[in-house]
């Protein structure tokens, strides 16, 4: 069992504070995102599921923009270009498959913002 509050928070880009944990085959990131914070467009080989626990988040996947609110889930296919913007303060749980090995060494702007493509 893991308690999110026992995992150190990191702020890799302005407005995004996250905590990360890994299972054998998946990575989970719990984000607190400030209103108006922007996730730069990027892509990665991991399939990603975005679950909005609170707030409103605008998610663009391969040029298609959707607005996700509390309780809604978006799916980002492997290698899809995506970006986002918090329309209000948000709490989001991301799940990635396979494991994000690049997250094991910490959340950085390069990993989050697209300089790291894998």
């Amino acid at each position: 069992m893991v308690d999110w509050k026992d995992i150190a928070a990191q702020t890799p880009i302005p407005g995004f504070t996250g905590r990360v944990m890994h299972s054998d085959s998946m990575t989970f990131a719990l984000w607190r995102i400030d209103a108006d914070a922007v996730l730069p467009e990027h892509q990665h080989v991991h399939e990603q599921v975005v679950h909005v626990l609170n707030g409103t988040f605008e998610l663009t996947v391969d040029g298609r923009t959707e607005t996700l609110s509390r309780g809604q889930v978006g799916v980002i296919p492997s290698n899809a270009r995506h970006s986002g913007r918090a329309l209000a303060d948000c709490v989001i749980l991301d799940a990635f498959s396979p494991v994000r090995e690049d997250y094991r060494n910490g959340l950085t702007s390069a990993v989050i913002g697209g300089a790291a493509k894998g």
Side-chain angles (χ1 to χ4, degrees), residues 47-69:
E47 181 178 35
Q48 179 177 352
V49 176
V50 179
H51 183 179
V52 178
L53 302 175
N54 205 356
T56 307
F57 194 79
E58 184 178 80
L59 179 66
T60 301
V61 180
D62 283 338
R64 182 176 175 195
T65 301
E66 299 283 342
T67 300
L68 302 174
S69 298

Side-chain angles (χ1 to χ4, degrees), residues 5-72:
K5 70 180 180 210
D6 294 334
I7 299 171
Q10 301 171 62
T11 304
I13 58 175
F16 283 74
T17 301
R19 301 170 192 268
V20 176
M21 63 158 293
H22 308 277
S23 70
D24 288 340
S25 60
M26 298 177 69
T27 295
F28 301 89
L30 182 64
W31 296 102
R32 292 199 178 278
I33 306 169
D34 298 336
D36 297 319
V38 174
L39 177 68
E41 185 176 73
H42 65 287
Q43 70 188 74
H44 42 73
V45 300
H46 313 85
E47 181 178 35
Q48 179 177 352
V49 176
V50 179
H51 183 179
V52 178
L53 302 175
N54 205 356
T56 307
F57 194 79
E58 184 178 80
L59 179 66
T60 301
V61 180
D62 283 338
R64 182 176 175 195
T65 301
E66 299 283 342
T67 300
L68 302 174
S69 298
R70 182 180 182 176
Q72 293 185 308

Side-chain angles (χ1 to χ4, degrees), residues 87-105:
L87 302 179
D89 289 344
C90 294
V91 177
I92 291 179
L93 178 63
D94 283 336
F96 300 91
S97 179
V99 169
R100 291 241 8 200
E101 295 296 339
D102 54 347
Y103 276 22
R104 288 196 190 273
N105 296 318

